[in-house]
Amino acid sequence: MVIAGLVFAALAAALHVYIFVMESLTWTSPRTRATFGLSEEQARATKELAFNQGFYNLFLAIVAVVGIVAMGLGHSAVGVALVLAGAGSMLAAAAVLLISSPDKARAAITQGIFPLLAVALIAVSLL
């Protein structure tokens, strides 16, 4: 179960790197604006905010990946702690999105399903 949890943590990290790219690098592009349902004016007005938020997503992905690498190197306690911190924070952010913006439920579920599975599988394997 640990390996399955780590696979889902890696998928969550990959998704959050993609979100970083959209929020921090391509925020005003037509494709990213369409993904987030923003006009060009809205994207320009929120560019700095999105840039910062994108880095939060990148840092969460990095924490999870460092945890996965630590697990692979045999540092189980450190690895589990980092994977749970990274994936757990991703899951918490998805929950906040769902609660604060129910109209964005699809985005919240998309961003939260991989970390949910990672956290659940790793937690069950620790029992």
Side-chain angles (χ1 to χ4, degrees), residues 5-62:
L6 295 178
V7 168
F8 282 113
L11 290 170
L15 177 61
H16 280 72
V17 168
Y18 178 65
I19 295 168
F20 156 75
V21 169
M22 287 192 299
E23 291 177 340
S24 295
L25 305 178
T26 65
W27 186 247
T28 57
S29 75
R31 183 173 177 184
T32 298
R33 286 189 288 116
T35 299
F36 286 92
L38 300 171
S39 69
E40 189 173 347
E41 181 179 323
Q42 290 170 317
R44 278 196 313 267
T46 58
K47 187 174 180 177
E48 286 181 35
L49 213 84
F51 182 79
N52 188 34
Q53 184 171 304
F55 274 90
Y56 278 91
N57 284 297
L58 177 63
F59 299 147
L60 292 176
I62 289 170

